[in-house]
Amino acid sequence: MSTTSPPAFSWDEWYAAVGGRSIRIEDVREYLDRIYNDQYPRFGGEVAAERRDFASPDEAATHLKAKAIECGADISGICRIEPTDVYRGRTVAHTYAIAVGQRMRWREFQVVPSRESAIECLRVYFTLGEAVIRLADYIRSLGHQCQVEHPIGDSDLLHIPIGLKAGFGELGRHGSIIHPTLGPLFRMGSVATSIPLATDKPIDAGIAKFCDNCRACRKYCPADAIPDHRSPEAGADHLGYDRYVVDTGRCFPYFAKHSYCSICLPVCAYNHKEWARDFEGFKTRLFPTVLMPEPPPAVDLSEGQPVHWYPKLKR
Ligand code: SF4
Ligand code: SF4
């Protein structure tokens, strides 16, 4: 167990600090109900008595990554779980994480923040949640234990370091992973297991370096939460660069009052790659309309963290 990893994000305390939940969108409410009432009870299940072992870690990794895609993920990768990948106070009794990601539809981020962008965030939490539950069911049907790490945000594993180590992309100035072709508009989850698996590697596609010369997310963040400079005290990312640290105490009030904000994702300069094929005939623009009403005052939890640090990654 790590004593240096951050505690799990205390959603209830943060919402209490901004006067409670104020986003009232019926479709969002329905997705949340389905996630908590229908998906959470399906995290566990019977492990088949007969166990199928794989010929090698390579074969197992290839098979399970392909299965993850079949279960509904758009991308999949594998990494070894280190203590700093687990939220402080939580435990994960497995060695590997099979990380999965699913893209969000660009056409729902044409105006941000908006009802449409909020619903799309929740839709993908739900559909990617189905993908990790299906993958976990499959692993148990092979006679192996596993643990579901749902994308919605109260998992035991930190999705960002897991996604970086699984080769999903590089850490952007806005604190989200940028995939070389999907850009930053995707969500992540994982399934933890101890089946011996070949692991993927972090990538260096020049994305993190690009952020040093691009400030689009910084400029459009209405809460002034995205930093000008990297913070050496926050530790290095997987490429050895000091991390950019988003100020959660500024971001969260805006996020909580304005449809989960999300402005920093569709304005990101990396939104111009493969996902554009996702237009599917819908009328879309290359750059979203960004609504930036006055930000609410910043809040910090008295006992909590003013900023949400991610741990220094081992290389
Ligand atoms: S979600 Fe909104 S407030 Fe938070 S960092 Fe992104 S742009 Fe800024
Ligand atoms: S908008 Fe620019 S600076 Fe911000 S994360 Fe994207 S590429 Fe990096």
Side-chain angles (χ1 to χ4, degrees):
M1 195 186 291
S2 167
T3 52
T4 54
S5 58
F9 197 79
S10 43
W11 291 103
D12 290 341
E13 287 176 47
W14 279 100
Y15 273 113
V18 295
R21 294 175 192 260
S22 53
I23 299 171
R24 307 215 191 285
I25 301 171
E26 190 49 34
D27 301 53
V28 163
R29 186 69 259 156
E30 276 175 25
Y31 277 125
L32 284 170
D33 284 347
R34 292 172 77 186
I35 289 168
Y36 292 124
N37 300 329
D38 175 46
Q39 290 190 329
Y40 271 50
R42 293 192 282 131
F43 281 9
E46 286 286 306
V47 176
E50 197 175 327
R51 196 167 99 173
R52 172 186 162 185
D53 285 320
F54 292 90
S56 67
D58 275 326
E59 190 209 324
T62 304
H63 181 81
L64 291 176
K65 283 193 282 186
K67 183 56 75 173
I69 303 295
E70 211 180 297
C71 289
D74 290 318
I75 49 174
S76 60
I78 292 172
C79 70
R80 184 175 273 273
I81 299 168
E82 296 170 78
T84 49
D85 300 328
V86 182
Y87 282 112
R88 202 186 313 156
R90 304 279 185 92
T91 49
V92 176
H94 289 290
T95 313
Y96 300 98
I98 304 168
V100 293
Q102 199 176 63
R103 72 173 74 187
M104 296 189 284
R105 297 176 188 137
W106 169 250
R107 62 177 180 266
E108 311 298 354
F109 290 84
Q110 294 282 284
V111 179
V112 275
S114 64
R115 182 180 172 277
E116 289 71 25
S117 62
I119 294 171
E120 180 65 0
C121 292
L122 269 294
R123 183 190 72 83
V124 173
Y125 282 139
F126 175 77
T127 56
L128 187 56
E130 284 298 302
V132 286
I133 289 168
R134 273 184 218 136
L135 181 61
D137 284 345
Y138 177 71
I139 289 171
R140 283 190 291 264
S141 78
L142 302 178
H144 296 272
Q145 301 275 359
C146 61
Q147 182 170 322
V148 167
E149 296 292 330
H150 198 279
I152 195 150
D154 57 355
S155 55
D156 301 309
L157 288 178
L158 285 97
H159 295 312
I160 298 250
I162 292 289
L164 289 171
K165 292 196 296 180
F168 280 0
E170 296 178 47
L171 197 57
R173 182 190 292 270
H174 48 34
S176 293
I177 295 182
I178 301 173
H179 186 278
T181 53
L182 296 184
L185 270 176
F186 69 98
R187 297 286 187 204
M188 293 179 291
S190 62
V191 176
T193 182
S194 294
I195 300 173
L197 295 169
T199 54
D200 291 290
K201 289 188 169 52
I203 63 163
D204 181 357
I207 298 169
K209 203 74 198 133
F210 180 83
C211 286
D212 291 339
N213 297 314
C214 169
R215 284 182 163 69
C217 56
R218 164 93 190 81
K219 179 178 165 197
Y220 282 97
C221 173
D224 207 16
I226 297 175
D228 272 323
H229 304 290
R230 295 177 180 272
S231 297
E233 67 278 17
D237 67 14
H238 66 292
L239 297 175
Y241 301 129
D242 296 335
R243 288 195 46 244
Y244 286 110
V245 178
V246 172
D247 186 339
T248 316
R250 288 179 182 274
C251 167
F252 187 80
Y254 201 91
F255 166 98
K257 291 188 182 301
H258 296 289
S259 301
Y260 312 125
C261 185
S262 307
I263 290 172
C264 48
L265 301 181
V267 302
C268 178
Y270 269 90
N271 276 313
H272 61 289
K273 302 265 182 158
E274 192 161 295
W275 57 262
R277 293 178 196 163
D278 195 31
F279 282 167
E280 297 169 350
F282 286 80
K283 197 175 174 193
T284 53
R285 290 183 300 269
L286 283 175
F287 198 80
T289 298
V290 180
L291 309 176
M292 297 172 68
E294 275 298 297
V299 294
D300 291 324
L301 297 185
S302 51
E303 298 285 327
Q305 306 164 94
V307 288
H308 197 200
W309 304 99
Y310 285 99
K312 183 169 178 162
L313 300 180
K314 235 196 242 171
R315 288 179 296 284

